[in-house]
Amino acid sequence: MNKEPISIDYNTQRTQLVLPEYGRCIQQMVDHAKTLDDRDERLRCATTIVALMASMVKQHGDADEFRRKLWNHLAAIANYELDIDYPVEIERLEDTRAQHERIAYPQKRIARRHYGAIVEALTKKLTDIDDEQERMALTTQVANQMKRDLARWNKDAVNDDKVLDDIFQYTEGRVGLRPEEIHLLSDAEIFNSVQQQNTGKKKKKK
């Protein structure tokens, strides 16, 4: 039985990130949020993404200003196409202003390159969250993003048990879940999400 060749997604073949310091994982999550039909679900997804963004960087200065900056960065990453009720006033970031407001993120060696450094960092952040409901929500978001990453890397590699085992390994055994304990998107939903994002990128290039 002949298998389709593995498609490797090189950085040079990818579209340029709006705010590179948040990484391609956050960009992909935002792209996914834009495909959701339900407005409330889009807002819930966006709120989770902002929480992930906040967990990746240290807060500097006023908490309200930090929150406003994160939501404005989310809007910019979405190219101002994410239709939700933003909890703060959104101002379009000009290129020069965006440069000044960017948040640095350290570069480091990646253990599993198909997930990327951001996913690796986020899984380790899960162990710092005390609230069980919040930790489960973030774990679900990260796990589904890992499934999308696997689908892009090699569709035959998509496997719920593998994703949860990788989270277990990333967190040194502190976050261990069975498939029935977490709401993972089906393989069909993952492939459809990846296809929609790829289609959107092709349209932008025209």
Side-chain angles (χ1 to χ4, degrees), residues 48-104:
T48 300
I49 294 170
V50 169
L52 290 172
M53 292 164 64
S55 72
M56 292 161 51
V57 296
K58 291 183 179 180
Q59 178 181 328
H60 295 285
D62 181 72
D64 290 338
E65 176 61 20
F66 180 67
R67 178 170 174 267
R68 184 200 65 79
K69 183 181 294 185
L70 289 173
W71 279 101
N72 271 272
H73 283 183
L74 174 73
I77 293 171
N79 196 29
Y80 304 98
E81 296 173 349
L82 182 59
D83 184 18
I84 60 172
D85 294 321
Y86 286 91
V88 301
E89 182 180 355
I90 299 299
E91 301 175 0
R92 285 183 173 268
L93 298 180
E94 298 176 356
D95 290 343
T96 53
R97 182 182 174 191
Q99 287 285 348
H100 288 299
E101 291 203 352
R102 287 179 177 178
I103 302 174

Side-chain angles (χ1 to χ4, degrees), residues 4-14 24 28 113-115 149-155 198:
E4 295 182 5
I6 296 176
S7 176
I8 301 177
D9 189 11
Y10 293 100
N11 285 333
T12 54
Q13 297 174 325
R14 298 177 176 181
R24 193 162 298 276
Q28 291 169 346
R113 296 188 64 85
H114 47 277
Y115 292 138
D149 289 338
L150 284 175
R152 292 186 184 89
W153 177 60
N154 176 11
K155 66 180 183 179
N198 290 338

Side-chain angles (χ1 to χ4, degrees), residues 102-134:
R102 287 179 177 178
I103 302 174
Y105 188 83
Q107 299 296 318
K108 64 177 183 177
R109 187 175 180 180
I110 306 171
R112 297 170 176 82
R113 296 188 64 85
H114 47 277
Y115 292 138
I118 303 298
V119 161
E120 182 175 308
L122 291 176
T123 52
K124 292 179 179 179
K125 287 287 185 181
L126 293 175
T127 60
D128 297 331
I129 301 174
D130 295 326
D131 184 86
E132 184 176 352
Q133 186 175 0
E134 181 182 357

Side-chain angles (χ1 to χ4, degrees), residues 132 136-137 139-140 164 175-184:
E132 184 176 352
M136 178 59 75
T139 301
T140 301
L164 296 181
V175 179
L177 295 168
R178 295 187 298 273
E180 60 269 21
E181 296 176 321
I182 186 172
H183 178 61
L184 293 176

Side-chain angles (χ1 to χ4, degrees), residues 7 142 192 201:
S7 176
V142 172
N192 183 56
K201 291 176 182 178

Side-chain angles (χ1 to χ4, degrees), residues 15-44:
T15 55
Q16 185 175 358
L17 298 177
V18 178
L19 295 175
E21 61 271 27
Y22 289 112
R24 193 162 298 276
C25 174
I26 293 296
Q27 179 73 60
Q28 291 169 346
M29 287 182 178
V30 174
D31 290 342
H32 169 67
K34 291 162 61 175
T35 68
L36 299 176
D37 294 328
D38 185 81
R39 188 179 184 83
D40 291 336
E41 186 177 358
R42 286 199 301 273
L43 180 57
R44 285 194 296 271

